[in-house]
Amino acid sequence: MPQPLELKKTLNLLKTDFPMKAGLPQNEPKQLAAWQESRLYDRILAARKGRPLFVLHDGPPYPTGTIHLGTGLNKIVKDLIVKSRSMAGYYAPYVPGWDCHGLPIETQVEKELGGKGKVPPDEFRRKCREFATRYVDQHRRDFKRLGILGRWEQPYLTMDFSYEAKTAETFLDFMEKGYVYRGRKPVYWCIYDSTALAEAEVEYEDHSSPSIWVAFDVIGGGTGSAANLGREIKAVIWTTTPWTLPHNRALAFHPDFDYAVVDTERGAFLIAADRVDALRSEFGLRESRVRATIKGREFEGMKFQHPFLPIEVPGVLADYVTLEQGSGIVHTAPGHGVEDFLTGQKYGLETAAPLDDRGVYTEGLPEYKGKDVFTANPIIVELLRKRGALLSAADYTHSYPHCWRCHNPVIFRATEQWFIQMDQVARPGKSPGSAATKSLRQEALEEIRRVKWIPAWGQQRMHDMVSGRPDWCVSRQRFWGVPIIVFYCDACGKQLRDFAALRNVIRWFEKEGADAWYRHSPEELLPAGTKCSCGAAKWRKENDILDVWFDSGSSNLAVLTAKEGLTENGAPWRPSDVYTEGPDQYRGWFQSSLLVAVGIKDQAPYKTVVGHGWTLDEQGRAMSKSLGNAIEPNEICERWGADLLRLWVASVEYQSDVRMSERVMTQLSEAYRKIRNTFRFALINVSDFDPSRDALPAGEMEELDRWMLERAAELVKKCRDWCEAYEFHRVYHAIHDFCVVDLSAFYFDVLKDRLYTKAPRSKTRRSAQTAIYKITSALVRLLAPILVFTAEEIWKHLPKQSGDPASIHMSVFPNESDLGTGLSPKQMVNWERLLNLRRSVLISLEEARKHNDISASLEAKVRLTGAAKEDVELWRAYKAWLPALFIVSQVEIDEPSDIVAFNPGVSRADGKKCERCWNYSRHVGENSRYPTICERCSEALVEIEGEQVSV
C-alpha cells in the first residue's frame, strides 16, 4: 500500500502569474505597442464585418497645446460608447478628427512669427498647416495613451484637401439654395483679432464698465400730451457703453409704459414712471414732483437733441424696453446692437458704425476720433460732463462678452458680412426632398424634436437657441480657413452667379486644397472664358474666409460617407448614431452641424446627442494652470495609469459637471485594487480548469453555484441596458459592488473550503470552478470598455475555449442566457432568504469574537432557535449548506417556536480540529491512515488517491 499523502500537498493551493500589483504606468505602454503591432483596431473591425453599423461622429478638437482633463473626459466617454457598442456586436468604426482652421491656430502662429502680417497669406497658411500638423501628432499620441482605439493613422482633418473642398462646396450649395446673402449688420467683433465672431466664439466674463446716466433735451413733436412738452425737459437714458453714444440715432420707448415728467432741483426729467425712484438713488436728488404721466406710444416721432452732436434723434417704439434697470428709455445705436439694428431698419435710421477693424473711430469729434472704443469711454464721459449732459457716472461690474481665444472684451459692430438666412425657404428644385415649404429655422426645429437628447433638457436648450438665434454670420476676416468662393466683376462689381463656373474652384481645392485660392488668379480658378453679363471677363476674389463653425459643422457631409466606410448598403451619406460633446457645443458644434445638415440633407446629422459636463476641482472650481489646480491626463497616466483615469470617467455621472482631485484618485485606486484582487482570486482558482473539458452542465452544478450564475445573469442584463443608455457610471458601480460584496465578501469566501479541500476533479469543485469561470469571463468582458488594459491582462490569464479571440476587445459582451441555469423562482427566493440568515449569523459570530468565546469562525457551532415554522423548514431543507454558508464547523436547528424571537446562538464547536481543513468534527481520529483529519477530508483523500492511481 502506498505511503499516506502529505496533507498540505493534497490541498488545492494554486497560483497564477496575474500579479497583485498592476504597475499600470509601466505596463500600459507595452500593451499599447503590442496592440499597434498586431493592428488590433483593424482586427476588431474585421471580426465585426457584416454586423449592424454604429457610428459615433467625433467632434473635432483644436490641435493647440496639450490635452487637458476635459479633453480626456470627452475622448474617454466616446471610447466607452464605441467599445461598448462594438462588444454588443456592432460594426463600430471610430474616425477621430481635428478642427485645424481658425483663430486659435492663427493666434499661435502669429505669436511664433512675432505679430500679424509678417509673411504673405500663402506662406502664413503653410505655417498654420505645419503648426496644426505638429499638434495633431501630439494629441494623437496622448489620446492613444488613454487606451482609445480608432483610425488614428487616417483621421479626418478639416485642413485635408478633400475636406476643404467639401466645405467650400457646401457653402456653394447654401448659396445656390438662396440661403446666403451679404449685408451690413451688427455682429460680435474682436478688435484685438480684427475679426467677426460667432455666438459660440463668445464667452461671458466679469468686466468693469462706466455706468452713466445722460440727458437728451426735448425739442418737440410726438402726439397727444407728449406734443405739449416744453423744451426745458430732458429725457434720461442709461448706458454702460459710452463709446456707442456718437452713433446714437434714436431713443426707444415702450408703447405701453407710463412715462413721467418729474420736476427736481436740477430741472425737469422724462423717465419711466416706475423708475422715478432712480432719480433719488442714482443721482442723489432730494426733491421730485411728478408733473405729468404720458403713455410711451405718444413719444413716437418726438425729436430730441443729441447731447454733443449737431443732430436731432427721433423717439421710436420698441417692446424690448424693460423696467428692470435704467430709465425705461433706451439709447439706440443701430450699428451696435441687434435689437437696435432691427429698430433702425423699421424706422429707416442710419446704421452708423464708423470704426475700423481695430475698433478705432474713423469719424467723429476731435476728442475721440482716432481713438479705440475702450480708450474713448472716459473721453466721452468727460465730453458729456462738459456739455452738461452727464447726470451721473460710476463704475459697474457686470457679465460682458469676451473673445473666446484672446479673452478680451468684444464689441457689437455693424459691418458687411456674409450671412445664412435662418428664415429663408430653399429655392424650388434645390432641396433633396420635395419642394421646400419651410424655412431653415423651421426645419431645424422639427429635426430637434426627432433627435434623442441626453440629458433630456438638451432638447429644450437647443430649441430655444435655434428659435431665437439671428441669421448666421459665416464670414471671417482671417486667412487660415476655407475661402468664401465668390467673385466680383472688375468692371461693374456684380457678383458671379454662374454656379457651374463656381464649382470649378472645388476641383482646384481637391487637388491643392484651399491654398489654391491664394496661389491662382480668378481666371485660372474659373473655367476659361467665364464672362460677366456686362461682357467683362476680369474678376476679383472675395477676401473673407468661412466661419470655423461652418467648417466643423460640415464634418458630417465630409466624413459620414460611403467613401469613409461609415454608411450602409452603398448609401452616400447617413446621420451619425450619436454625437457627444461638452455643454458649450449646444451653441457650437451641435448647432452648426444641425444647420448645415438640415440645409443640405433636410435632416439632422445625428440620431442621439449626449452632452457631458465640465471638469472641476474638489472645490467645484474650473481647472486652470493659473489656479494651480489642474490635473492633466498625462500626469494621471504617469502616476496612476490610464485605466485609473478611465475608471474615474466611468465612475462619475459625466452628464453633469464632474470633480477631480488627488483624493478622488486615491479612492479610485482602492476601488481598483479590490476589483483587481477579486479577479486575481478567480484566476488562481481556475488555473487548473479547462472550460471545454471540465465545465459542468447547469443541471449537474451545485445549487449555490447556479444561484450565483443567475445573479450574474441579472447583472449582465442590467449592464447591457445601461451601456445602451450611455449610463456607464451604473455599470461601474454595479460591477464594483458585485465584485466586492457578492463575490469577495460572500461567494468566494464560502467557496474557499470547497475549492481548497475537495479533490481536484471532484464534481462539487468543478461546479464551483464552472461558476467562477463563467462569472469571471462575463465580468471581464463587461469591464473591458472601461479598464481596457486590465481587462486585456485578465483575459490573457483566463482559461480559453475554442474560438475565443486573442484579445478581449475582439470578443463580445456576454448574454444573459449564457449564465442562466434554469433555477426556479422559488429556489432564487430561497437563497435570498438564506443570504439574509447569513447576515444575522455573522453579526452573532462577531459578537462572540468580541467576547473571546471564539477566535475564528470555524471554532464555532451555530444554533438557530426561536424561528417560525416556514423558516425552520427552509433551513432544514438546506441544512447541509449552512456550515459552509456561515463558515462554521457545525449548525443545529431547533424546533419552530410559537413566539418568534430569532437570535442565533454561538458556542464552541464539538470535536477536534481537522489538521487539513481546520473544521472541527467529532470524527477526527476515526481514519487510521490519516488520524488527524475529519470525515469530509477522508472522503476527499480517497478520491485524490484514486485520481493519482488513474493517472
Side-chain angles (χ1 to χ4, degrees), residues 287-531:
E287 301 175 10
S288 62
R289 182 181 64 82
V290 175
R291 183 197 307 178
T293 302
I294 305 169
K295 280 293 181 187
R297 64 176 61 91
E298 297 183 20
F299 292 98
E300 186 175 27
M302 177 173 275
K303 296 296 182 180
F304 301 88
Q305 177 61 52
H306 191 284
F308 55 78
L309 293 178
I311 60 173
E312 298 176 359
V313 299
V316 296
L317 303 182
D319 57 10
Y320 54 77
V321 177
T322 70
L323 298 173
E324 294 173 2
Q325 286 179 303
S327 66
I329 304 172
V330 175
H331 144 57
T332 300
H336 298 298
V338 174
E339 291 173 331
D340 296 33
F341 174 79
L342 294 174
T343 298
Q345 294 294 295
K346 176 182 176 181
Y347 284 94
L349 305 176
E350 178 193 11
T351 306
L355 305 172
D356 68 12
D357 291 352
R358 306 294 292 176
V360 173
Y361 293 92
T362 58
E363 299 176 10
L365 298 181
E367 286 89 340
Y368 55 81
K369 184 179 179 182
K371 306 285 194 307
D372 72 79
V373 293
F374 295 115
T375 301
N377 265 333
I379 296 172
I380 291 173
V381 172
E382 184 59 27
L383 181 62
L384 290 166
R385 193 187 313 275
K386 289 179 178 178
R387 299 294 178 95
L390 184 68
L391 301 175
S392 175
D395 290 332
Y396 177 67
T397 300
H398 59 139
S399 182
Y400 188 86
H402 287 66
C403 175
W404 68 323
R405 295 311 303 176
C406 69
H407 298 286
N408 285 303
V410 301
I411 64 172
F412 256 109
R413 175 195 178 205
T415 62
E416 288 285 334
Q417 301 289 339
W418 289 95
F419 295 90
I420 289 177
Q421 193 168 352
M422 291 296 299
D423 297 310
Q424 175 66 38
V425 177
R427 286 175 182 156
K430 302 302 179 183
S431 177
S434 56
T437 59
K438 297 172 182 173
S439 70
L440 180 61
R441 191 191 310 275
Q442 290 171 326
E443 283 197 67
L445 292 174
E446 286 188 4
E447 286 301 304
I448 288 169
R449 289 191 288 270
R450 296 188 179 102
V451 172
K452 182 176 182 180
W453 299 87
I454 303 173
W457 52 256
Q459 176 175 339
Q460 190 61 48
R461 184 175 185 181
M462 182 63 88
H463 180 278
D464 292 347
M465 286 183 169
V466 171
S467 63
R469 69 161 294 149
D471 289 348
W472 183 3
C473 176
V474 293
S475 51
R476 295 292 180 271
Q477 291 65 50
R478 308 296 293 185
F479 289 114
W480 180 229
V482 177
I484 291 176
I485 300 182
V486 167
F487 295 90
Y488 304 97
C489 177
D490 247 358
C492 69
K494 187 176 180 182
Q495 181 184 336
L496 178 63
R497 290 284 181 176
D498 183 343
F499 287 97
L502 291 172
R503 290 182 191 281
N504 194 67
V505 180
I506 305 303
R507 290 190 281 275
W508 282 95
F509 283 16
E510 288 170 343
K511 290 185 295 182
E512 299 182 13
D515 295 342
W517 189 258
Y518 300 92
R519 293 174 183 162
H520 301 282
S521 67
E523 289 70 32
E524 291 176 283
L525 295 170
L526 293 168
T530 301
K531 290 186 178 182

Side-chain angles (χ1 to χ4, degrees), residues 103 106-107 110 113-119 124 191-194 358 478:
L103 192 57
E106 283 206 37
T107 302
E110 285 170 352
L113 291 173
K116 302 176 186 291
K118 299 291 184 180
V119 293
F124 182 73
I191 66 173
Y192 301 92
D193 292 313
S194 300
R358 306 294 292 176
R478 308 296 293 185

